[in-house]
Amino acid sequence: MITPATLRRTVSAALEEDAPWGDLTSTALLPASADATADLIARESGVFSGGEVFAASFRLTDPEVRVDLHVADGDRFEPGDALASVTGRARSLLTAERVALNFTQRMSGIATLTAAYVDAVAGTGARIADTRKTTPGLREFERHAVVSGGGGNHRRSLSDAVMAKDNHLAVLRQSGHDLATALREALSRLPHTTHVVVEVDRLDQIEAVLDGGAHTVLLDNFSLDDLRAGVALIAGRATVEASGGVSLDAVRAIAETGVQVISVGALTHSARALDLGLDLRVG
């Protein structure tokens, strides 16, 4: 969910970045009284995300601009579809155009890629989730786009869950601490609502993680055979998550091993922006 404060702060920062002292071209060339309407047109198929952000880009530029969204976040579209329309002063529309498109193209690209992963694992029971591999400052927008595509969100930040990864485990080993004991001690100090995830990269690490009371065991970069073995070994004692270089071609086979969650960093760090255009109609 994109909070109103984050929406205003992030979009305002983008508008200021793009026109720190105003839109020199539009102000110099266009009559202040000129009105226009622009349509957001899809140049390719995809899944829409970012309608609220698109609208805010224009309304924060000029509160008198009218924005009509023709699709909702999560809707699929085809080339040529009109996704939204904006009407107002031509100067305002052209000033906000690039920021509005940048956000919407980026978010729709993430939603579209996420939907492809979700479609690929349909019927397996596995859930596709994002990671913290997001663009700094845009996490709420990108996580929202993942949900638009049918995916789920992982922990929002380092403050939201315990997630012990390979480097944490390496420090424990170097310090002479037993993993199971360290987990039990951590759980005794944490609120009872805190979720604990531990990443492992070998099957022989799993029993200690379970003994320590972890709620989720993350099997990182496991082969398909080892994923199946890990699922069997855990046997319902914790949620099983798979991660590590998960490609669209491989994700169905991973899901069919019986894991419950597949976290995919590519949803946010490798999604390309979709080709959307803003076609202006004057008069």
Side-chain angles (χ1 to χ4, degrees), residues 44-57:
E44 60 181 314
S45 60
V47 177
F48 187 68
S49 186
E52 186 179 24
V53 183
F54 179 83
S57 300

Side-chain angles (χ1 to χ4, degrees), residues 158-274:
L158 291 172
S159 302
D160 294 306
V162 171
M163 188 169 176
K165 306 190 77 174
D166 54 351
N167 287 335
H168 299 97
L169 303 189
V171 172
L172 283 175
R173 286 194 302 271
Q174 187 178 28
S175 304
H177 288 81
D178 174 70
L179 175 57
T181 301
L183 286 171
R184 285 194 295 269
E185 290 177 352
L187 281 164
S188 72
R189 296 189 298 269
L190 292 164
H192 71 281
T193 54
T194 304
H195 193 86
V196 176
V197 183
V198 180
E199 175 189 278
V200 299
D201 52 24
R202 301 191 317 272
L203 287 168
D204 61 11
Q205 296 173 302
I206 292 175
E207 281 299 342
V209 173
L210 295 172
D211 188 34
H215 305 109
T216 296
V217 181
L218 193 161
L219 309 180
D220 187 48
N221 284 301
F222 274 46
S223 68
L224 294 177
D225 286 342
D226 281 351
L227 284 174
R228 282 186 283 267
V231 169
L233 182 60
I234 294 165
R237 290 179 286 172
T239 298
V240 186
E241 177 179 347
S243 72
V246 179
S247 70
L248 188 56
D249 290 340
V251 70
R252 174 126 195 135
I254 293 171
E256 288 173 342
T257 65
V259 300
Q260 292 146 289
V261 180
I262 304 173
S263 49
V264 186
L267 300 183
T268 51
H269 73 58
S270 294
R272 69 171 181 84
L274 287 197

Side-chain angles (χ1 to χ4, degrees), residues 1-2 6 10 110 130-146 153-160 268:
M1 174 182 175
I2 303 173
T6 297
T10 306
I110 291 171
D130 55 19
T131 72
R132 285 171 42 249
K133 295 177 181 178
T134 54
T135 307
L138 297 181
R139 182 166 296 172
E140 284 195 29
F141 287 18
E142 294 179 352
R143 283 166 55 87
H144 176 91
V146 167
N153 295 144
H154 217 287
R155 59 174 176 162
R156 182 180 182 277
S157 70
L158 291 172
S159 302
D160 294 306
T268 51

